[in-house]
């Protein structure tokens, strides 16, 4: 069984970390599996929402498995571990489907960065957030000083990354990072996902693209995706494709 599972239940998909023996810490294999999950989700037009969860443990995700990166040279660490993780987390953040993280336990380091890729988050009261990388001589590498800065703000990220302070679920909710604090975060996240099945999937997708363009989450790609959608919905697009296939000049009308 994979340490990252993709579980489909009608129009709702669950991406589940399943490495509880290591507090759901990320390994190289898990990162690659997550990338595969993102590719599968993007291709499946029947999926309307994605809930991100983790196997029961003392941590939703404790970050990156130190046994996976501790022996890497500085060059390998920067070129592969950090950049590959960043690329894969970006893939999840930019998924066209809306995503909800159910944080039932602590989210530290890469685990917090993982949760930050989701569109909204539901936290259990006991869950906390932290960026403890300085304690092992490294810095956040999977968007903890970038994407997380937009979500929590400079002072709060400095509290965690520089001073090692933990953020409680209650404070995360007050800061807007958590949409809700729930005794059963997983159930609440699925209830939110279920409501999405009554809305227009295309409208939700376009709204996500527009918001991401506004906050510079892959702005170039978001703007071009919106433009491509507008052009692709025209009669001129159909005429252009038809004319190409028939090897004739297109007769564009602006419709």
């Amino acid at each position: 069984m994979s340490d990252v599972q993709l579980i489909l239940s009608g129009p709702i998909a669950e991406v589940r970390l399943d490495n509880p023996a290591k507090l759901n810490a990320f390994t190289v294999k898990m990162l690659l599996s997550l990338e595969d999950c993102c590719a599968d989700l993007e291709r499946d037009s029947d999926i309307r929402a994605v809930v991100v969860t983790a196997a029961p443990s003392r941590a939703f995700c404790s970050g990156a498995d130190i046994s996976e990166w501790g022996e890497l040279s500085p060059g390998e660490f920067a070129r592969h571990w950090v950049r590959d993780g960043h690329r894969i987390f970006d893939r999840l953040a930019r998924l066209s489907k809306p995503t909800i993280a159910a944080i039932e336990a602590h989210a530290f380091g890469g685990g917090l960065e993982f949760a930050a890729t989701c569109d909204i988050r539901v936290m259990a009261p006991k869950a906390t957030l932290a960026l403890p990388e300085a304690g092992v001589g490294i810095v956040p590498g999977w968007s903890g000083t970038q994407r997380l800065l937009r979500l929590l703000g400079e002072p709060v990220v400095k509290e965690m990354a520089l001073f090692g302070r933990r953020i409680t679920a209650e404070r995360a909710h007050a800061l807007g990072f958590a949409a809700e604090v729930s005794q059963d975060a997983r159930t609440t996240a699925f209830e939110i996902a279920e409501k999405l099945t009554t809305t227009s999937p295309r409208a939700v997708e376009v709204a996500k693209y527009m918001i991401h363009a506004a906050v510079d989450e892959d702005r170039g790609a978001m703007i071009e995706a919106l433009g491509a959608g507008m052009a692709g919905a025209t009669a001129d697009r159909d005429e252009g494709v038809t004319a190409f296939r028939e090897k004739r000049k297109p007769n564009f009308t602006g419709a």
Side-chain angles (χ1 to χ4, degrees):
M1 185 179 290
S2 172
D3 288 344
V4 177
Q5 299 177 44
L6 179 58
I7 305 164
L8 303 181
S9 180
I12 299 173
E14 178 180 0
V15 175
R16 178 183 173 91
L17 302 187
D18 196 3
N19 187 18
K22 290 200 171 183
L23 303 180
N24 296 313
F26 274 103
T27 62
V28 170
K29 181 182 175 184
M30 289 172 70
L31 286 170
L32 296 177
S33 294
L34 177 60
E35 188 168 34
D36 290 340
C37 286
C38 290
D40 291 342
L41 287 166
E42 203 62 84
R43 287 192 293 264
D44 192 337
S45 59
D46 293 330
I47 298 301
R48 304 281 292 276
V50 180
V51 179
V52 172
T53 68
S57 171
R58 288 186 292 111
F60 164 77
C61 177
S62 60
D65 186 347
I66 196 168
S67 65
E68 294 273 311
W69 59 263
E71 301 302 318
L72 297 176
S73 71
E76 290 173 324
F77 182 68
R79 282 194 303 273
H80 302 300
W81 183 256
V82 173
R83 293 185 68 185
D84 286 352
H86 218 293
R87 181 192 76 247
I88 293 163
F89 278 21
D90 284 351
R91 182 75 184 273
L92 178 59
R94 295 162 188 172
L95 202 65
S96 64
K97 326 284 185 179
T99 55
I100 307 152
I103 307 172
E104 297 184 287
H106 307 305
F108 295 162
L112 172 53
E113 293 165 318
F114 176 56
T117 66
C118 293
D119 295 315
I120 64 172
R121 289 148 291 276
V122 179
M123 292 180 67
K126 65 182 180 181
T128 63
L129 312 175
L131 291 173
E133 286 87 349
V136 289
I138 59 171
V139 296
W142 292 342
S143 76
T145 62
Q146 306 300 309
R147 181 177 295 115
L148 197 60
L149 201 71
R150 296 198 302 270
L151 297 172
L152 282 170
E154 177 189 350
V156 179
V157 173
K158 281 182 175 178
E159 269 189 66
M160 290 191 288
L162 277 59
F163 299 97
R165 300 191 69 183
R166 292 190 188 186
I167 302 300
T168 64
E170 182 181 1
R171 188 174 177 205
H173 181 245
L175 289 165
F177 182 78
E180 192 169 337
V181 177
S182 169
Q183 292 290 346
D184 190 340
R186 186 178 187 278
T187 296
T188 300
F190 273 94
E191 289 172 350
I192 294 171
E194 189 66 36
K195 291 178 182 177
L196 280 165
T197 63
T198 66
T199 61
S200 162
R202 184 51 57 87
V204 169
E205 177 184 355
V206 171
K208 182 169 178 174
Y209 286 167
M210 292 168 68
I211 294 165
H212 277 194
V215 299
D216 202 20
E217 178 70 71
D218 200 24
R219 178 180 293 171
M222 295 300 100
I223 290 172
E224 290 186 351
L226 291 169
M230 290 177 65
T234 63
D236 274 357
R237 180 262 190 189
D238 293 339
E239 167 63 12
V241 172
T242 300
F244 176 82
R245 288 173 176 167
E246 295 176 353
K247 297 182 171 55
R248 61 173 175 81
K249 280 190 173 184
N251 179 28
F252 292 131
T253 64

